[in-house]
């Protein structure tokens, strides 16, 4: 590194230290192929906007409790080295940095993050079920649909589809939990099937006393053969246990019998623990919370109403909210009015207000819009799982804002004596159930608007107070920079495109797509440059053209390349595969090596990487185009190695 570059990087390092909150706020430093990663003692002390404007920085965001600053391939190596030297701190491996970040979080934060990770995995299914449920509710109230055979049939199929997804939600949670905690996902599916098998009495029917429950006696303990429908807490707990058992037996069972014995032991022990320990404990925990909330509404007046509607949506997280149906029906039988329905309804719409608050704070992020808009629509029909698990619980402060909004709505329900004459629907469809006495319809609308507005307002206030505007891991690019930001550590401003056009061929076989479809915001938003991607069908990466190897990551999952025409390229295998620390990768080239089109660059064990839970989609990015160069892509299709993908031209 020459003196001029080192001086420039030292200035960058000095600015980063200042904007990150000072030397004492930096707990760890590492880098991957393109990003400088910092673990800070307090993320709120970091000036995100200021960091975006630092020389050579292309973007900045917070993800995985790390501050990630995008510099580009090659350049990030030198910046990280100079930064580490300037503050007298050793650069860490990414594994050590992740451990450092986890230690910085308190147990509650770690638990919430793990819970968020579990539900993000299954969010598409929950969103689909929520919107189908809302559509089914609307169609069910239209006379034309009920009187037309075809429309009625379609409505019934929609209703069956939505109910099936929610009915098997514990299975989905068990699958996602096992995957999140390092076990084989199929073992989560197995234990989920056991939880919901029709050999067990349906949990809802058992709660209402409409089905006979068989009791076994094991070691002197009575074990009721009741299914775990709605048992989200149980699914989470048994998913963690199953993952740990799977890892344990895979390690301890001799390899010669591992395939047969390890899954057998994992399933058998998990099932025993499910019925003897985890199931009873999880049910007791969720049931206890529910009973306390109902008692408060009956005995603590306005305070009880506010607390119930303030935290009722936390019960949805456990899955035990379904038991309220039995309580509501009993209320109708005894009093003719159901005060729980409007309380739950304002709690729901308040979480929708929190979603809108989060959306407003992150309007520039496309992924936030993609998640928040359908989540809010489902809230209007009384379904909050997408909003809770996809947004509010994930980012924490919207959940708090929603709970405050629910409490305000609950107070209005109490003071206006609002109640329902039925149960089963809430929010927009729920207005049909409102007791019209004492201006019931008007009070219903007022309570919901107040709850929504309060949830919205407090989410905005909490967002500003805790500095979480960037928590969605959105990436803002810095415009107007003409400095080189990628390529080799010693790259210089790109030369004119004398060697154009240059053809790029398929670097592996598989499904070819545009870079914007890659499930990584840095790549998809083209922060590092335009590119293409392939979802590979083989575990080999080949040179897409005649070029030179300029950088090989220590973690072996990414390489920086330079074409004959002076264009800088980055090939990056998988999403977040940097966390594997080189496991399952073998690099076949060295820095400085000249390659011909079709030469093998690296190999990887695709099956093992996917088994570990990583997306193997491989990206090729034009990180440093020569002057006047642009990427012209071929149509998306299935390709074989060597097929034409794109042309770098003017």
């Amino acid at each position: 590194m020459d003196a001029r570059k080192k001086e420039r990087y030292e200035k960058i390092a000095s600015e980063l230290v200042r904007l990150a909150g000072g030397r004492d706020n930096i707990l760890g430093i590492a880098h991957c192929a393109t990003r400088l990663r910092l673990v800070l003692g307090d993320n709120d002390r970091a000036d995100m906007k200021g960091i975006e404007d630092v020389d050579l920085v292309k973007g900045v965001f917070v993800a995985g409790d790390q501050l990630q600053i995008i510099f580009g391939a090659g350049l990030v190596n030198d910046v990280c080295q100079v930064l580490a030297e300037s503050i007298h701190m050793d650069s860490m491996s990414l594994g050590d940095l992740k451990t450092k970040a986890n230690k910085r979080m308190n147990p509650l934060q770690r638990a919430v993050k793990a819970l968020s990770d579990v539900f993000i995995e299954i969010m598409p299914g929950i969103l689909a079920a929520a919107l189908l449920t809302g559509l089914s509710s609307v169609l069910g109230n239209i006379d034309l649909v009920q009187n037309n055979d075809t429309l009625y049939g379609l409505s019934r199929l929609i209703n069956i589809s939505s109910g099936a997804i929610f009915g098997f939600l514990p299975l989905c949670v068990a699958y996602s939990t096992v995957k999140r905690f390092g076990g084989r996902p199929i073992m989560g599916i197995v234990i989920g099937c056991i939880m919901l098998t029709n050999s067990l009495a349906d949990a809802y029917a058992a709660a209402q006393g409409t089905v006979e429950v068989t009791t076994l006696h094991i070691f002197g303990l009575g074990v009721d053969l009741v299914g775990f429908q709605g048992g989200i807490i149980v699914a989470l707990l048994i998913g963690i246990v199953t993952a740990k058992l799977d890892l344990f037996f895979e390690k301890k069972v001799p390899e010669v019998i591992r395939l047969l014995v390890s899954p057998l032991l994992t399933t058998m022990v998990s099932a025993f623990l499910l019925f003897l320990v985890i199931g009873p404990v999880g049910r007791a925990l969720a049931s206890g919370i529910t009973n306390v909330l109902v008692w408060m509404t009956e005995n603590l007046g306005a305070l009880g109403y506010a607390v119930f509607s303030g935290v009722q949506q936390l019960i949805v997280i456990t899955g035990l909210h379904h038991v309220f149906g039995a309580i509501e029906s009993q209320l109708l039988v005894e009093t003719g009015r159901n005060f729980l329905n409007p309380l739950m309804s304002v709690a729901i719409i308040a979480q929708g207000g929190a979603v809108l608050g989060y959306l407003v704070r992150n309007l520039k992020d496309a992924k936030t819009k993609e998640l928040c808009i359908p989540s809010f629509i489902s809230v209007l029909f009384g379904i909050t799982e997408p909003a809770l698990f996809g947004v509010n619980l994930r980012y924490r402060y919207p959940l708090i804002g929603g709970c405050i909004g629910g409490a305000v709505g609950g107070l209005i329900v109490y003071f206006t004596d609002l109640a329902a004459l039925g149960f089963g629907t809430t929010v927009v469809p729920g207005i049909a159930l409102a007791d019209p006495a004492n201006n019931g319809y008007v009070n219903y609308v007022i309570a919901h608007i107040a709850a929504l507005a309060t949830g919205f307002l407090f989410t905005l206030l909490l967002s500003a107070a805790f500095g979480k505007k960037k928590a969605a891991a959105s990436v803002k690019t810095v415009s107007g920079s003409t400095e080189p930001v990628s390529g080799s550590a010693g790259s210089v401003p790109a030369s004119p495109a004398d060697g154009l056009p240059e053809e790029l061929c398929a670097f592996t076989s598989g499904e070819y797509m545009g870079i914007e479809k890659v499930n990584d915001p840095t790549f998809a938003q083209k922060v590092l440059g335009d590119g293409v991607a392939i979802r590979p069908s083989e575990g080999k990466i080949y040179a897409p053209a005649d070029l030179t190897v300029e950088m090989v990551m220590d973690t072996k999952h990414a390489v920086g390349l330079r074409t004959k025409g002076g264009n800088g390229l980055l090939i990056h295998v998988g999403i977040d595969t940097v966390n594997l620390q080189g496991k399952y990768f073998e690099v076949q080239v060295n820095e400085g090596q000249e390659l011909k089109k079709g030469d093998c660059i690296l190999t990887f064990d695709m099956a093992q990487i996917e088994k570990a839970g990583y997306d193997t989609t491989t990206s090729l990015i034009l990180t440093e185009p020569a002057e006047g160069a642009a990427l012209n892509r071929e149509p998306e299709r299935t390709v074989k190695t060597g097929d034409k993908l794109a042309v770098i031209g003017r």
Side-chain angles (χ1 to χ4, degrees):
M1 186 188 308
D2 62 42
R4 184 177 61 85
K5 286 182 179 177
K6 185 171 184 180
E7 181 180 353
R8 186 179 187 183
Y9 298 158
E10 285 174 345
K11 183 178 179 181
I12 292 172
S14 176
E15 284 292 288
L16 290 179
V17 172
R18 179 179 63 83
L19 295 168
R23 167 65 179 85
D24 63 321
N25 197 42
I26 300 177
L27 305 182
I29 306 171
H31 72 87
C32 60
T34 59
R35 311 169 198 177
L36 177 67
R37 300 175 180 232
L38 306 179
V39 172
L40 304 182
D42 182 0
N43 286 342
D44 295 339
R45 290 170 59 183
D47 181 351
M48 303 286 281
K49 179 60 179 175
I51 293 174
E52 285 182 344
D53 295 331
V54 170
D55 184 24
L56 301 185
V57 169
K58 296 193 74 174
V60 58
F61 60 97
V62 174
D65 212 40
Q66 298 173 14
L67 179 67
Q68 301 189 19
I69 307 168
I70 303 170
F71 282 99
L75 176 63
V76 70
N77 302 51
D78 284 348
V79 172
C80 183
Q81 178 185 341
V82 171
L83 175 60
E85 291 174 354
S86 69
I87 60 176
H88 308 291
M89 178 182 290
D90 291 334
S91 179
M92 298 178 171
S93 70
L94 285 166
D96 290 340
L97 191 78
K98 187 175 181 180
T99 300
K100 190 79 171 180
N102 288 336
K103 286 181 177 179
R104 192 180 73 88
M105 300 167 67
N106 60 45
L108 178 60
Q109 289 174 321
R110 287 197 291 270
V112 170
K113 185 180 185 302
L115 190 63
S116 172
D117 292 342
V118 167
F119 285 100
I120 286 301
E121 176 75 14
I122 59 177
M123 186 51 54
I126 296 176
L127 273 171
L131 296 178
L132 286 172
T133 300
L135 180 59
S136 175
S137 177
V138 171
L139 294 176
N141 292 318
I142 300 176
D143 291 337
L144 175 63
V145 173
Q146 300 303 307
N147 297 326
N148 182 284
D149 289 343
T150 298
L151 293 177
Y152 176 77
L154 293 173
S155 176
R156 283 282 292 151
L157 290 178
I158 291 172
N159 180 264
I160 291 169
S161 300
S162 63
I165 299 173
F166 278 123
F168 285 90
L169 187 57
L171 185 152
C172 300
V173 172
Y175 153 80
S176 186
T177 304
V178 171
K179 182 177 178 180
R180 164 62 177 78
F181 286 92
R184 288 173 292 182
I186 185 61
M187 303 311 298
I189 294 176
V190 169
I191 199 66
C193 290
I194 293 172
M195 292 177 66
L196 302 175
T197 175
N198 56 13
S199 298
L200 303 173
D202 181 88
Y204 303 137
Q208 296 173 2
T210 60
V211 66
E212 183 178 349
V213 176
T214 302
T215 301
L216 302 179
H217 298 280
I218 302 175
F219 302 125
L221 299 174
V223 178
D224 294 334
L225 297 184
V226 179
F228 295 90
Q229 288 80 10
I232 304 302
I233 283 183
V234 177
L236 284 166
L237 294 175
I238 197 60
I240 295 171
V241 170
T242 301
K244 300 303 181 184
L245 287 172
D246 188 38
L247 292 171
F248 175 80
F249 289 125
E250 279 289 289
K251 182 178 180 181
K252 297 297 183 181
V253 175
E255 186 174 357
V256 66
I257 58 172
R258 183 178 299 156
L259 181 62
L260 176 66
V261 175
S262 174
L264 169 66
L265 292 175
T266 297
T267 303
M268 186 170 63
V269 175
S270 295
F272 288 165
L273 291 174
L274 171 65
F275 289 105
L276 293 173
V277 181
I278 303 298
V281 169
R283 279 177 170 147
L285 177 62
S287 179
I289 296 171
T290 302
N291 291 336
V292 167
L293 290 176
V294 173
W295 178 86
M296 285 191 302
T297 59
E298 294 176 343
N299 296 277
L300 299 181
L303 176 62
Y305 272 59
V307 172
F308 180 91
S309 56
V311 302
Q312 185 271 341
Q313 281 298 291
L314 302 182
I315 296 298
V316 174
I317 297 172
T318 73
L320 264 290
H321 58 297
H322 297 289
V323 304
F324 287 131
I327 300 171
E328 290 178 279
S329 62
Q330 189 64 37
L331 283 171
L332 288 170
V333 169
E334 293 180 359
T335 68
R337 302 175 84 239
N338 172 15
F339 67 89
L340 287 182
N341 179 271
L343 285 178
M344 291 187 288
S345 190
V346 294
I348 289 169
I349 196 64
Q351 294 298 329
V355 169
L356 291 181
Y358 184 79
L359 175 61
V360 167
R361 293 292 285 173
N362 297 275
L363 273 177
K364 293 184 179 180
D365 182 38
K367 288 189 176 293
T368 296
K369 295 178 184 177
E370 181 182 326
L371 187 59
C372 288
I373 292 174
S375 294
F376 179 73
I377 292 173
S378 70
V379 164
L380 295 178
F381 296 102
I383 307 297
T384 50
E385 282 86 351
L388 283 174
F389 299 132
V391 182
N392 297 355
L393 178 63
R394 184 181 183 186
Y395 300 114
R396 296 186 282 280
Y397 70 87
L399 181 65
I400 299 172
C403 289
I404 295 172
V408 170
L411 288 173
I412 296 176
V413 169
Y414 178 80
F415 287 114
T416 60
D417 193 26
L418 183 61
L421 300 178
F423 68 95
T425 59
T426 51
V427 195
V428 174
I431 194 171
L433 301 180
D435 185 351
N438 302 317
N439 298 314
Y441 294 133
V442 174
N443 291 333
Y444 186 93
V445 172
I446 291 173
H448 283 71
I449 291 176
L452 185 147
T454 305
F456 175 83
L457 177 62
F458 272 89
T459 298
L460 290 179
L461 293 175
L462 289 169
S463 173
F466 293 105
K468 296 295 185 180
K469 185 176 181 180
K470 297 291 184 180
S474 62
V475 180
K476 288 188 176 181
T477 59
V478 178
S479 61
S481 175
T482 58
E483 302 291 350
V485 292
S486 58
S488 67
S491 62
V492 295
S495 59
D498 296 332
L500 298 182
E502 289 187 306
E503 182 177 296
L504 298 179
C505 296
F507 44 88
T508 189
S509 298
E511 295 298 319
Y512 164 56
M513 68 189 78
I515 195 69
E516 61 276 359
K517 294 186 178 180
V518 176
N519 189 26
D520 183 294
T522 301
F523 296 158
Q525 297 181 23
K526 302 181 182 180
V527 175
L528 297 173
D530 199 0
V532 296
I534 296 176
R535 188 174 292 113
S537 58
E538 61 175 329
K540 292 184 178 180
I541 301 298
Y542 300 93
D546 295 346
L547 35 74
T548 303
V549 179
E550 290 198 328
M551 180 274 295
V552 177
M553 278 294 296
D554 294 338
T555 46
K556 306 176 184 178
H557 74 294
V559 292
L561 308 165
R562 180 75 58 179
T563 69
K564 298 298 183 183
N567 294 286
L569 304 176
L570 174 70
I571 293 182
H572 190 288
V573 181
I575 307 299
D576 291 331
T577 46
V578 64
N579 296 324
L580 292 172
Q581 293 293 292
K583 191 176 182 182
Y584 309 130
F585 290 92
E586 290 297 332
V587 177
Q588 309 295 322
V589 298
N590 299 309
E591 291 183 4
Q593 183 175 340
E594 299 283 339
L595 299 179
K596 294 292 185 182
K597 181 175 69 175
D599 287 349
C600 185
I601 295 176
L602 64 86
T603 60
F604 58 97
D605 191 328
M606 190 165 64
Q608 290 296 328
I609 293 172
E610 290 177 343
K611 181 180 176 181
Y614 293 93
D615 184 340
T616 56
T617 300
T618 300
S619 303
L620 185 153
I621 306 166
L622 180 59
T623 54
E624 190 177 336
E627 185 178 335
L631 194 67
N632 303 302
R633 296 182 286 189
E634 292 286 304
E636 297 181 0
R637 64 194 188 281
T638 301
V639 297
K640 294 181 180 179
T641 302
D643 289 352
K644 182 179 178 181
L645 286 190
V647 173
I648 303 175
R650 291 184 177 85

